Amino acid sequence: MSERKILVTSALPYANGPIHLGHLVEYIQTDIWVRFQRQRGNQCYFVCADDTHGTPIMLKADREGITPEQLITKVGIEHLADFTEFYVDFDNYHSTHSEENKIFSSLIYNRLRSAGHISSRTITQAYDPVKSMFLPDRFIKGDCPKCGAVDQYGDGCEACGATYSPIELKNAVSAISGEKPIEKDSVHYFFNLADFASMLSNWTTEGHLQPEVRNKLAEWLNSGLQQWDISRDAPYFGFEIPDAPGKYFYVWLDAPIGYMASFKNLCDKKSLSFDEFWSVESTTELYHFIGKDIIYFHALFWPAMLSGANFRLPTAIFAHGFLTVNGEKMSKSRGTFITARTYLNHLNPEYLRYYFAAKLSAGIDDIDLNFDDFSQRVNSDLVGKVVNIASRCSGFINKRFDNKLSLHCSELALFDEFVSCNILIAELYESREYGKAMREIMALADKANQYIDEKKPWLIAKQDNKETELHDVCSVGINLFRLLIAYLKPVIPSLASQAEKFLSIDSQIWPSEATPLLDHTVNIFIPLMTRVEADKISSIIVDSKENLEKTIDTSSPITKKNEPKFEPIADTIEFNDFAKLDLRIAKIIKATHVKDSDKLLQLTIDIGDETRNIFAGIKSAYSPEDLEGKLTLVIANLAPKKMRFGNSEGMVLAAGPGDKDIWILSPDNGAVAGMRVK
């Protein structure tokens, strides 16, 4: 087979937060495929970058009191450190905020514009009157205009997959201020996606996509392709559009171009040919690994942009599903929203690499990280089956034969059977059917262990004149272990490297023509992997909850006072749930003690259009005379609660660790009773 030339990318992680286990599904899936290709002798480059532009980056940097450039530099270092410790082996990791990306973004835009695929017009846009800025799609939430699903973002519906203009959302609100957006005019630039409808209809049915993805794209194509707004108004962190001052490329335009930019950066470092991989005449292969939530951008917009700008199209796009933990969506309050760093603080990253491999297929189904299954599978397969083979045989080889293997292979047929399985296992890796590949490899491990169990070297060692047989049996075991490691190498590269040191061999290529190690000296065996310990998993969950608690603002006097302990924040609610609260300024007209209660005060409050009776558990911090005449904040539409003292018709908002340290939230700045808080 002639050497293939392959360029592989993973989707770019956004530079506004840490890498978590959900992200790692994709990067581990991609890395396994890349390592397999390299092990087969193919020329395979793996590039990626941080996705660094857009309003969220700008706003987060502002909150942290740093520049966007400082933020993305810091996050980029953290991202690459996490990837490196999970053995994700990029040839180049770059940033979309780079000179290469700026050049390619402008080049593609200019080529599309020259070919008539870019148009401009004045549009009416959502504008936040409180923040004085046009609202990015993801900062508007409302009901999908297509299927009616509530709480959807302004650029696409996560329920039905439809894309639309943010102005089409029903019941829209600003996710920044909570204010209802107003309409404001602005000139915007559009990519005429419909110009490429015929090309896309052909390309999406020519084997470049998974069947599920192809079918979904057919639905979108049949419903008609709309123009794509590729511009954003200042203020915006990104690249300014050529000849359009104050207008910036939408982050989704320059993000996929980041693949090209990162590879160009690698080409400049390694003296590679960029055109060999990106020209329309290219005979090389280009693959994108992505999550199923960004199919529209990668399988419609991206090929159309490439085609219109005279660059090659992807050979294939591989989408994967999402990660659930213990059968549910990752949850911060349950401690299952786990960052890569939290995991690395407690567990071997190759446990997770193997577990993901054992669960992944070529489809787009979600995969589940079940901690009980995780422990059982890693302990049984990697430790109990694979590493155990070397452990069982190496002691005899060391003590009885001076670490040297037998002169001949007494089970050549068995060894050749293991080698012949390379064809099927290679096909499974190539087609990303990792779960099936792991099952085939573990079936071989079972055979190797069965062979050892049947031969019983521990009994042979006790018999006289059985040295040759003992030597042969243990040498066969070591040779079978070597093949298993070769097959698992794309998944557990560090363990494979340690095994190669034990075997005293060079880095293993794909064992399609492997022959036994004969009369070969190995090194003293050192345990290669320990079992997963349950307390480590418990520690990860605890630490994940603690990380959540650390997000509480410790600059507040409330959190500093007496250093209270906080319970984990409950599962998040959606904005529409919060919007249902009727928060009012209330004047406390009267406050009295509640008989037989150590905690409650009875408050009569004025909320503007009526008076209410509320029982508040603030007696330890306030005497009635301290409260009368004061303003406070209440939830006015809370359902009345019947208590033995009477009905409580609302809730006073207060905070603090307890006892005398309870503070009612007291508004000022000219507030009056009855004023609504938004």
Side-chain angles (χ1 to χ4, degrees):
M1 180 186 293
S2 60
E3 179 187 70
R4 296 160 60 188
K5 293 185 176 182
I6 307 168
L7 175 58
V8 178
T9 75
S10 291
L12 313 185
Y14 201 47
N16 70 338
I19 301 300
H20 56 69
L21 299 195
H23 291 130
L24 285 169
V25 171
E26 178 170 312
Y27 302 99
I28 289 173
Q29 181 191 38
T30 314
D31 185 73
I32 290 171
W33 200 80
V34 168
R35 288 180 180 273
F36 164 72
Q37 298 297 342
R38 292 170 179 164
Q39 194 178 358
R40 294 273 280 175
N42 295 320
Q43 186 183 130
C44 187
Y45 299 104
F46 182 16
V47 300
C48 195
D50 263 10
D51 183 5
T52 59
H53 288 157
T55 303
I57 299 291
M58 181 178 68
L59 294 175
K60 181 170 184 178
D62 183 65
R63 288 196 301 271
E64 295 188 7
I66 58 178
T67 66
E69 289 83 359
Q70 289 172 317
L71 173 65
I72 64 176
T73 297
K74 175 174 71 80
V75 172
I77 292 170
E78 294 169 354
H79 282 183
L80 185 56
D82 290 345
F83 287 139
T84 299
E85 290 189 48
F86 269 97
Y87 306 108
V88 179
D89 190 20
F90 299 113
D91 288 284
N92 199 53
Y93 195 79
H94 206 33
S95 167
T96 58
H97 194 63
S98 66
E99 189 61 26
E100 296 93 344
N101 205 30
K102 184 176 182 179
I103 290 170
F104 278 115
S105 296
S106 296
L107 173 65
I108 289 176
Y109 171 81
N110 286 330
R111 286 185 179 180
L112 294 173
R113 184 182 60 184
S114 297
H117 302 305
I118 302 293
S119 59
S120 64
R121 67 177 186 274
T122 298
I123 65 168
T124 301
Q125 240 184 316
Y127 186 83
D128 189 325
V130 175
K131 294 296 184 179
S132 300
M133 63 182 290
F134 287 102
L135 287 168
D137 300 347
R138 300 291 282 185
F139 283 80
I140 307 170
K141 302 193 86 171
D143 303 344
C144 174
K146 307 290 185 182
C147 72
V150 299
D151 201 35
Q152 297 303 311
Y153 290 109
D155 59 352
C157 178
E158 294 179 345
C160 70
T163 60
Y164 39 72
S165 166
I167 210 73
E168 296 178 75
L169 273 178
K170 299 175 182 177
N171 303 318
V173 294
S174 165
I176 302 174
S177 69
E179 187 72 23
K180 181 179 179 180
I182 64 173
E183 296 182 355
K184 191 170 182 179
D185 290 345
S186 177
V187 174
H188 271 235
Y189 294 79
F190 295 83
F191 175 49
N192 302 322
L193 184 61
D195 294 351
F196 300 89
S198 177
M199 181 276 291
L200 290 170
S201 293
N202 293 328
W203 184 81
T204 57
T205 57
E206 291 173 346
H208 306 289
L209 306 166
Q210 294 138 296
E212 311 99 307
V213 174
R214 182 184 67 240
N215 294 338
K216 187 62 181 177
L217 289 175
E219 293 178 20
W220 289 332
L221 286 163
N222 291 336
S223 64
L225 300 176
Q226 305 300 313
Q227 285 187 320
W228 181 34
D229 188 346
I230 60 169
S231 62
R232 293 296 182 268
D233 292 279
Y236 195 80
F237 182 58
F239 296 139
E240 202 166 26
I241 298 176
D243 303 324
K247 305 292 181 180
Y248 292 79
F249 286 128
Y250 175 40
V251 60
W252 260 111
L253 180 129
D254 66 58
I257 296 173
Y259 302 142
M260 304 173 78
S262 184
F263 185 64
K264 182 63 167 65
N265 183 259
L266 177 66
C267 290
D268 292 343
K269 293 176 182 177
K270 302 291 186 181
S271 299
L272 303 174
S273 170
F274 178 87
D275 290 340
E276 183 180 11
F277 285 83
W278 286 99
S279 73
V280 289
E281 296 84 14
S282 175
T283 58
T284 62
E285 301 171 50
L286 171 63
Y287 300 97
H288 299 307
F289 284 74
I290 64 168
K292 63 182 178 182
D293 56 327
I294 53 175
I295 287 169
Y296 200 103
F297 293 101
H298 278 81
L300 292 179
F301 291 139
W302 180 229
M305 286 168 55
L306 290 170
S307 176
N310 202 35
F311 287 106
R312 61 90 47 82
L313 272 60
T315 307
I317 297 173
F318 302 137
H320 61 81
F322 301 136
L323 177 71
T324 58
V325 178
N326 291 336
E328 298 178 342
K329 185 177 179 180
M330 289 192 294
S331 164
K332 291 182 178 180
S333 65
R334 287 191 295 270
T336 56
F337 191 94
I338 302 166
T339 67
R341 184 53 47 185
T342 299
Y343 177 98
L344 289 167
N345 289 339
H346 297 281
L347 287 176
N348 184 336
E350 291 194 309
Y351 294 162
L352 191 68
R353 287 181 65 101
Y354 176 74
Y355 188 74
F356 280 174
K359 305 282 276 189
L360 280 163
S361 70
I364 61 172
D365 294 332
D366 296 346
I367 68 171
D368 183 54
L369 168 57
N370 178 283
F371 286 130
D372 290 337
D373 182 50
F374 170 84
S375 300
Q376 190 278 331
R377 193 174 299 229
V378 171
N379 292 341
S380 173
D381 290 0
L382 293 183
V383 181
K385 293 182 180 180
V386 178
V387 172
N388 190 47
I389 296 169
S391 179
R392 299 173 84 183
C393 298
S394 60
F396 296 113
I397 296 294
N398 170 241
K399 294 174 184 177
R400 306 283 282 266
F401 308 106
D402 197 25
N403 284 323
K404 182 168 284 192
L405 301 181
S406 176
L407 289 168
H408 71 285
C409 181
S410 61
E411 300 287 345
L412 189 58
L414 180 60
F415 182 87
D416 288 344
E417 179 187 347
F418 272 50
V419 173
S420 67
C421 289
N422 90 87
I423 297 172
L424 173 59
I425 295 171
E427 290 173 350
L428 294 172
Y429 269 124
E430 180 71 38
S431 61
R432 307 173 323 286
E433 291 286 1
Y434 301 161
K436 293 179 180 179
M438 296 309 102
R439 288 193 287 276
E440 291 294 331
I441 295 168
M442 289 307 140
L444 292 178
D446 287 337
K447 275 190 177 180
N449 279 292
Q450 182 182 357
Y451 167 77
I452 295 168
D453 288 341
E454 289 174 351
K455 295 297 183 179
K456 297 180 174 57
W458 55 91
L459 295 181
I460 297 175
K462 296 177 181 179
Q463 301 177 41
D464 295 332
N465 303 317
K466 293 284 186 174
E467 289 293 295
T468 299
E469 184 179 356
L470 177 65
H471 199 187
D472 288 346
V473 168
C474 291
S475 296
V476 168
I478 295 296
N479 271 288
L480 297 181
F481 167 76
R482 171 200 165 203
L483 292 176
L484 293 171
I485 289 297
Y487 291 140
L488 287 168
K489 188 173 182 177
V491 178
I492 46 174
S494 179
L495 189 149
S497 178
Q498 295 174 63
E500 288 163 352
K501 289 178 182 177
F502 157 63
L503 294 167
S504 191
I505 58 175
D506 294 333
S507 179
Q508 292 197 88
I509 62 173
W510 192 252
S512 54
E513 299 178 359
T515 56
L517 296 173
L518 303 175
D519 196 26
H520 175 83
T521 301
V522 298
N523 292 310
I524 294 175
F525 179 78
I526 299 173
L528 299 175
M529 182 173 279
T530 57
R531 296 171 63 84
V532 179
E533 299 174 20
D535 64 324
K536 299 292 187 183
I537 293 176
S538 299
S539 296
I540 287 175
I541 294 173
V542 170
D543 282 5
S544 296
K545 291 181 179 180
E546 289 177 355
N547 288 341
L548 177 65
E549 292 171 13
K550 291 173 186 176
T551 65
I552 299 172
D553 182 10
T554 56
S555 66
S556 164
I558 295 175
T559 56
K560 285 186 176 180
K561 192 86 170 178
N562 297 335
E563 298 183 354
K565 294 182 179 180
F566 288 89
E567 292 298 323
I569 295 173
D571 286 350
T572 58
I573 63 171
E574 300 298 338
F575 185 87
N576 285 348
D577 295 324
F578 179 78
K580 295 175 183 177
L581 298 180
D582 182 2
L583 300 179
R584 302 262 195 107
I585 305 299
K587 185 175 181 178
I588 301 174
I589 301 171
K590 186 178 180 181
T592 60
H593 292 289
V594 176
K595 186 180 179 180
D596 298 327
S597 174
D598 296 327
K599 297 180 179 180
L600 295 178
L601 290 178
Q602 183 174 355
L603 308 179
T604 302
I605 62 168
D606 176 11
I607 59 172
D609 52 3
E610 64 176 306
T611 58
R612 296 277 188 88
N613 179 70
I614 291 179
F615 293 98
I618 56 176
K619 185 174 181 177
S620 61
Y622 296 95
S623 60
E625 55 269 27
D626 292 333
L627 294 173
E628 290 183 359
K630 285 192 174 183
L631 297 176
T632 188
L633 190 61
V634 301
I635 301 175
N637 62 339
L638 188 68
K641 181 178 181 181
K642 187 174 182 179
M643 307 176 71
R644 64 188 178 94
F645 314 104
N647 284 343
S648 185
E649 302 168 313
M651 178 182 288
V652 171
L653 298 186
D659 197 24
K660 294 185 179 299
D661 295 320
I662 299 175
W663 298 274
I664 60 170
L665 304 183
S666 305
D668 51 18
N669 297 327
V672 295
M675 183 181 291
R676 281 183 165 84
V677 179
K678 295 183 177 180

